[in-house]
C-alpha cells in the first residue's frame, strides 16, 4: 500500500454568508461506523440547524459517500467531496452545518459557501502523511549524542522522543523501506557504539 494523506483528530471553522452560518467540521475516520458516529454527533450538537451536509472518503473499499441533506442537488455534498479529493485526503469526513439566515443564496452561492466552509475546516486541521514506517530507538553514550542529533537533523529524520537516562535513547521514525539504510548509517557514524532497537513495520503518521 502506498502512503496517503489524512488529518489528525478533528477541527472546525465557521463561515457566514448573508446571515447564514456555515460550520465546517472535519475528522479522521477509518470506517463507515466511525464516519456515521461523527455525523450523528454533529447532528446532536446542532439540533436546530437547517442542514448537516456531509461527505467522506475511506481507504477501505475506496468507499465514498456524500449527501446534500435537503439542499438543492449537487450544491453542497458533491462540492464538499471535491474539496476532499482535490486535497488528496483519505480517511476523512467533513460535515458542514448550516443555520439558515433568511436569504436564499442560489445554486452558485451555495456551492461557493459549502466549498469555503469545507476548505476552511481542513485548513484548520493538521494534515499528515501515513506510510509504512519503522520506529528506531537509538541508544548512545552522552559524548555521541550531539553528533547523532546533528546528523538526524541533516537527514531530516523525524525525532519522536529523547530520553536522557544512563545513556541517551533517541526514538526516531523512518520509512520502512529506508530503515536498514538508516541503521547502517548510524552504526557507521557511531563506529558501532550505538545500540538500535527496531519496531515492526506499521502504518503511522510521518513528517514529510
Amino acid at each position: 500500500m502506498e502512503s496517503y494523506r489524512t488529518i489528525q483528530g478533528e477541527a472546525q471553522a465557521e463561515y457566514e454568508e448573508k446571515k447564514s452560518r456555515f460550520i465546517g467540521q472535519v475528522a479522521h475516520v477509518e470506517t463507515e461506523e466511525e464516519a456515521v458516529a461523527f455525523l450523528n454527533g454533529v447532528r446532536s450538537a446542532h439540533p436546530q440547524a437547517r442542514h448537516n451536509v456531509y461527505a467522506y472518503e475511506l481507504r477501505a473499499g475506496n468507499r465514498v459517500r456524500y449527501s446534500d441533506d435537503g439542499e438543492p442537488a449537487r450544491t453542497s455534498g458533491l462540492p464538499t467531496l471535491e474539496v476532499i479529493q482535490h486535497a488528496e485526503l483519505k480517511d476523512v469526513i467533513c460535515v458542514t452545518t448550516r443555520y439558515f439566515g433568511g436569504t436564499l443564496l442560489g445554486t452558485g452561492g451555495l456551492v461557493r459557501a459549502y466549498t469555503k466552509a469545507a476548505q476552511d475546516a481542513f485548513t484548520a486541521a493538521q494534515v499528515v502523511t501515513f506510510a509504512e514506517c519503522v520506529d528506531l530507538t537509538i541508544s548512545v553514550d552522552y559524548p555521541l549524542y550531539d553528533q547523532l542529533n546533528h546528523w538526524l537533523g541533516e537527514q531530516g529524520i523525524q525525532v519522536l522522543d529523547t530520553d536522557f537516562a544512563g545513556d541517551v535513547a533517541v526514538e526516531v521514525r523512518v520509512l520502512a523501506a529506508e530503515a536498514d539504510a538508516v541503521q547502517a548509517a548510524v552504526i557507521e557514524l557511531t563506529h558501532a557504539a550505538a545500540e538500535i532497537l527496531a519496531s515492526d513495520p506499521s502504518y503511522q503518521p510521518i513528517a514529510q
Side-chain angles (χ1 to χ4, degrees), residues 10-11 21 23 33 51 54 67 89 125 127 134 173 197-198 204:
E10 302 178 5
R21 291 174 59 207
I23 307 169
E33 289 77 12
H51 307 282
Y54 72 86
S67 169
L89 297 172
V127 177
V134 169
R173 178 165 292 163
L197 295 176
Q204 299 291 338

Side-chain angles (χ1 to χ4, degrees), residues 24-148:
Q25 297 130 110
V26 297
H28 175 80
V29 293
E30 297 183 0
T31 66
E32 284 201 285
E33 289 77 12
E34 290 178 1
V36 171
F38 181 77
L39 172 61
N40 288 337
V42 171
R43 286 171 170 164
S44 296
H46 298 279
Q48 303 303 316
R50 177 72 67 89
H51 307 282
N52 285 290
V53 167
Y54 72 86
Y56 61 82
E57 183 159 348
L58 307 175
R59 289 183 306 123
N62 293 316
R63 184 75 67 182
V64 174
R65 291 285 185 273
Y66 66 88
S67 169
D68 295 307
D69 193 34
E71 294 282 28
R74 303 175 70 85
T75 62
S76 49
L78 183 58
T80 301
L81 178 63
E82 289 173 344
V83 170
I84 293 172
Q85 294 178 333
H86 180 74
E88 298 180 336
L89 297 172
K90 303 285 187 180
D91 285 352
V92 295
I93 182 172
C94 176
V95 183
T96 297
T97 298
R98 181 188 183 189
Y99 287 91
F100 184 57
T103 301
L104 297 176
L105 302 183
T107 56
L110 287 172
V111 170
R112 289 189 293 273
Y114 278 101
T115 297
K116 179 170 174 53
Q119 290 173 335
D120 288 353
F122 281 116
T123 297
Q126 182 180 359
V127 177
V128 294
T129 297
F130 270 66
E132 189 175 34
C133 298
V134 169
D135 291 348
L136 303 175
T137 302
I138 306 168
S139 299
V140 296
D141 292 334
Y142 276 81
L144 289 173
Y145 169 67
D146 285 342
Q147 183 183 12
L148 173 64

Side-chain angles (χ1 to χ4, degrees), residues 129 133 135-136 152 155-161 170-174 204-208:
T129 297
C133 298
D135 291 348
L136 303 175
L152 293 171
Q155 303 301 312
I157 293 175
Q158 181 180 0
V159 176
L160 301 177
D161 190 32
V170 184
E171 185 179 3
V172 302
R173 178 165 292 163
V174 298
Q204 299 291 338
I206 186 167
Q208 295 272 291

